[in-house]
Structures are given as structure tokens and as C-alpha cells.
Amino acid sequence: MTEEFHRIRRLPPYVFASVNQAKAAARARGEDIIDLGMGNPDSPTPPHIVEKLVESVQNPRAHGYSVSKGIPGLRRALAGYYERRFNVKLDPEREVIATLGSKEGLANLASAITSPGDTILVPNPSYPIHQFGFIIAGASVRSIPATPDDNMLRALERAVRHSVPKPTALIVNFPSNPTAYLADLDFYKELVAFARREEIFILSDLAYAEIYFGDLVPPSILAVPGAKDIAVEFTSLSKTYCMAGWRMGFAAGNERLISALTRIKSYLDYGAFTPIQVAAVAALNGPQDCVADIRALYKERRDVLIRGLHAGGWNVPSPEGSMFAWAPIPEPFRELGSVEFSKLLLKEAGVAVAPGLGFGEHGEGFVRIGLVENTQRLRQATRAIRGFLSAHGVKPEASSPSSKPEPVKS
């Protein structure tokens, strides 16, 4: 009776736990900790979305059970967004389902399509649910490079040749959490051609579709002709509209995969609270200037963070998308590893970051820094980090702190 349950045994200890414990202990001592470790948007949800929630929640008829696949108006709104943004036509009845955030959708689809012993191809490093959603479902996971380039494509070819059984599905996530890599439509075309040839499903996580800063506007994999034969894509309102706690996401694409997710969700939940779904319709169909404002806010924060770190001698690539910087650990600290470096940075600089090891073994040697504080706090954080680096012998760059850093290369 003391043994761990089977599925729990497949989950390793939570990598972020020791950093979170140190953060909580520091705050309990009254220390001012600047938390850049979470991916939790700190800005309020745009007012017109909140107003629609308030209006809807006052209707008693909206207080009962909803439907697990989402109200029809919400599925139509998501289809409308895809047509406007990506020029992709979707059938709201057969090719769209609302989920309780993209994370829940990914995990439930993993459960719906996975048999014990199946092989799933997952980028490493990547967001933990990409790997552990399938591990919980009983699959074996094979790591592939996280970069949208020939390295990933060659690794996919090797994985198909050398995996027994042949892989069932492939996960992709661009803009990526944690690495901030972006993919273009040409890469997706090669990926879709590969998956169709090998009869492998693609699960695309597009949660950061609207958080981008350069000329490359993140495309949808569903924009590739024939992609709906093998692909489903997950999106979310969490980052686009600062609605993380509202838990509103979607899956769209391949009818067979959407049907499988719909069927399993019908046994597990009654969908999101109806007023939240009504407010989500207002988000998708309403004025979109708030999306541009949120994007501009993250870009301003990115520039403040990267310039501040460069001025202290920490050469962190400037992300072209997502709400994170993927930072190589400075040379004097690399032997510590990402967990111990994160704890040391917390202790001596009062800044919390996420250790790269938490995103897979190939995340070791990096930390993820979130753009989740205002510019004043980010400047405070970079000043503290510069002091920390200087105390350990890291010298500032010779170039001006205002010089533009190199972006993350994909």
C-alpha cells in the first residue's frame, strides 16, 4: 500500500519545486522577489471582454451546465478568427472544439489517441505538457531537436526509421515555449509533406500566435494545403487577451482528431462556464486593437530586459516571439546547472527565473526569463542581475547598452 501509483511513478520529481520553495521562503522573510519564472500574464483582461462576462453572468439561464465542445457561437468565432488571420476555412461543427485552455486540450487528446507503448515525437526542450501528457497516457516519448530547421527534419526521418512501433504523432510549438523559436510556412510545408508520407499526426501548439515582434508573423500549420488530413492545432486566449485564468482554448483541424477529443471530453467535463464562453466570443469578434497593444507591451519589455542584461555582460538572444527570453547560463556559472544557478540568482539578486532543465534534459544550460513584470520592475531586475554578475567577475559588454542584440535564430 506504500508504492506509488503506476502513472505517478512515470512522472519525475517537479524540477521547479526547489526554486519555488526558495522563492516562497524568501518572500516569507520579507524579501522583495521579482518573479520572472512564471508564464502568467500580469496585465488585466481588456475591459470590453470583462464587461461581456459581467453582462452574461447576470443571466440566470447561463448558470447551468454548458456543452463540453463549446457553445456554437464560440466555435463559429474561432472559425472566423482562423479565416481572418490565417486564411484557413474551418467547419465549426466538425473541425473546432473549445477546451479548458490549450493545456487541457493537449492532455485529453493524448489520452484519446494513445495506446500503451505508442511512440510520440516531442521537441526537447519544450513545454512540459507536450511530453508528460503522453507519458501519463502510457506512451513512450522520443526527443527531437526543437529548432524549426533541417536538424529537426533529419531527426524526424531517423526517428521513423529506428522507432518500433512507428511514431503515432509529432508535437510542434512555434512560437516556442521556452526557446522562443518561430517557424515559417515553408517549414510547415516540409513538415506536413513528411507527416502525410509517413502517416503521422501533427499536434501544433500555437498558443503564442499573436506574440511576435519582427517581420515574421507566425503562421498556422493548417494554412498548408492538405494539413487538415493529419494535423490539429491548439490555440488559447490566455496570452493574446491576457485571459490566462479564464481557461479558454481551442483545438482545430483534422476531423478525426477533433472527434476523438470531443468524445473523451464528453465523459470528463461540461465545458467552460457559459458566461466565460460568451466573453470569449466578444474577445474574438470584438475590437482587436487590444491585441496590438499587448504585443507592443511585450516588445517594450523585451527590449528593456535584453538591453539591461547585455549591459551587464549576459549575452541573451533577443526573442522574436513569445513572452520569454531563452538565456544561456553565463560562463562562470555553467557547471552549476540550471537549477542551482536559478537558486543562486534568487538568493543573491532577488530575481526568480525558470531552470531550463524543467523543459527537458536539452534545456540544461539555459534559464527561461518571462516578460511578466512592468518595465520599471524589469529595470530593477536587470540592475540587480548586473550587480550579481559583477560580484562574480562577469564584465559588462564593451558595446553600448542601447545597441540592438542579435535575435534568436530559427
Side-chain angles (χ1 to χ4, degrees):
M1 296 295 287
T2 60
E3 282 190 22
E4 286 276 17
F5 297 108
H6 170 68
R7 296 195 191 279
I8 301 300
R9 283 203 304 271
R10 300 200 71 197
L11 300 177
Y14 190 53
V15 170
F16 304 110
S18 60
V19 178
N20 289 342
Q21 289 167 2
K23 179 171 60 181
R27 284 178 166 162
R29 294 191 297 269
E31 298 177 23
D32 179 23
I33 301 299
I34 302 175
D35 190 356
L36 307 181
M38 296 292 291
N40 193 10
D42 63 309
S43 300
T45 305
H48 69 281
I49 302 172
V50 177
E51 289 166 8
K52 179 56 70 172
L53 173 73
V54 172
E55 174 191 319
S56 181
V57 83
Q58 294 181 45
N59 179 2
R61 295 179 62 186
H63 296 177
Y65 293 126
S66 188
V67 288
S68 62
K69 69 183 296 183
I71 60 175
L74 180 56
R75 286 181 277 118
R76 288 194 298 269
L78 191 277
Y81 163 76
Y82 259 81
E83 187 164 8
R84 292 190 309 271
R85 173 68 164 80
F86 304 113
N87 197 28
V88 170
K89 292 186 180 296
L90 294 169
D91 181 340
E93 288 300 316
R94 297 181 298 132
E95 296 177 333
V96 176
I97 182 173
T99 61
L100 306 178
S102 57
K103 184 175 183 179
E104 174 269 322
L106 276 159
N108 277 330
L109 184 59
S111 179
I113 69 173
T114 304
S115 300
D118 281 355
T119 300
I120 308 296
L121 305 177
V122 181
N124 191 335
S126 70
Y127 186 50
I129 195 64
H130 297 155
Q131 176 180 186
F132 290 108
F134 282 95
I135 288 176
I136 291 168
S140 298
V141 169
R142 179 167 183 152
S143 294
I144 57 171
T147 50
D149 56 19
D150 287 343
N151 287 331
M152 176 183 279
L153 295 171
R154 286 193 296 267
L156 291 173
E157 296 281 0
R158 289 194 300 271
V160 169
R161 285 200 307 270
H162 300 298
S163 295
V164 179
K166 187 175 81 171
T168 302
L170 158 69
I171 312 296
V172 292
N173 170 217
F174 304 110
S176 171
N177 175 11
T179 63
Y181 293 134
L182 271 66
D184 60 21
L185 200 59
D186 286 340
F187 175 76
Y188 282 147
K189 288 177 181 177
E190 293 192 67
L191 207 61
V192 168
F194 165 81
R196 293 183 70 189
R197 183 174 69 248
E198 300 296 343
E199 299 183 328
I200 295 173
F201 288 119
I202 298 177
L203 280 57
S204 170
D205 182 351
L206 194 60
Y208 295 89
E210 304 302 339
I211 310 298
Y212 58 90
F213 313 122
D215 295 332
L216 176 56
V217 178
S220 164
I221 198 170
L222 299 180
V224 177
K228 285 196 287 185
D229 293 342
I230 44 83
V232 69
E233 190 158 69
F234 291 89
T235 52
S236 168
L237 303 189
S238 295
K239 312 306 188 297
T240 305
Y241 301 98
C242 297
M243 294 173 66
W246 298 54
R247 307 314 304 137
M248 198 72 254
F250 305 91
N254 179 265
E255 183 178 346
R256 183 181 174 199
L257 294 176
I258 295 298
S259 176
L261 180 55
T262 301
R263 185 168 181 179
I264 201 163
K265 276 177 63 63
S266 70
Y267 283 92
L268 297 175
D269 66 68
Y270 288 106
F273 186 37
T274 298
I276 291 178
Q277 297 190 56
V278 173
V281 174
L284 289 167
N285 289 348
Q288 298 300 300
D289 54 334
C290 58
V291 178
D293 291 343
I294 291 167
R295 185 185 306 124
L297 175 69
Y298 283 122
K299 184 178 187 297
E300 180 186 17
R301 291 178 178 186
R302 177 202 68 168
D303 293 344
V304 166
L305 175 73
I306 298 300
R307 288 185 179 125
L309 295 177
H310 275 229
W314 192 354
N315 188 22
V316 176
S318 181
E320 287 297 295
S322 85
M323 54 191 290
F324 306 109
W326 186 236
I329 297 174
E331 181 63 42
F333 308 97
R334 286 181 187 165
E335 290 188 2
L336 288 176
S338 60
V339 174
E340 291 306 314
F341 172 72
S342 298
K343 290 162 71 173
L344 185 65
L345 189 66
L346 178 71
K347 178 182 177 182
E348 298 191 9
V351 177
V353 297
L357 184 61
F359 304 96
E361 65 270 28
H362 296 299
E364 186 56 280
F366 293 81
V367 294
R368 192 193 70 178
I369 307 175
L371 306 174
V372 291
E373 288 278 6
N374 62 46
T375 54
Q376 180 180 345
R377 289 284 277 175
L378 287 173
R379 289 189 179 97
Q380 180 184 344
T382 57
R383 285 196 300 271
I385 291 171
R386 289 199 298 269
F388 163 78
L389 294 173
S390 178
H392 288 271
V394 177
K395 296 180 180 180
E397 288 187 333
S399 60
S400 167
S402 62
S403 62
K404 185 179 179 182
E406 288 295 315
V408 169
K409 301 295 185 184
S410 60

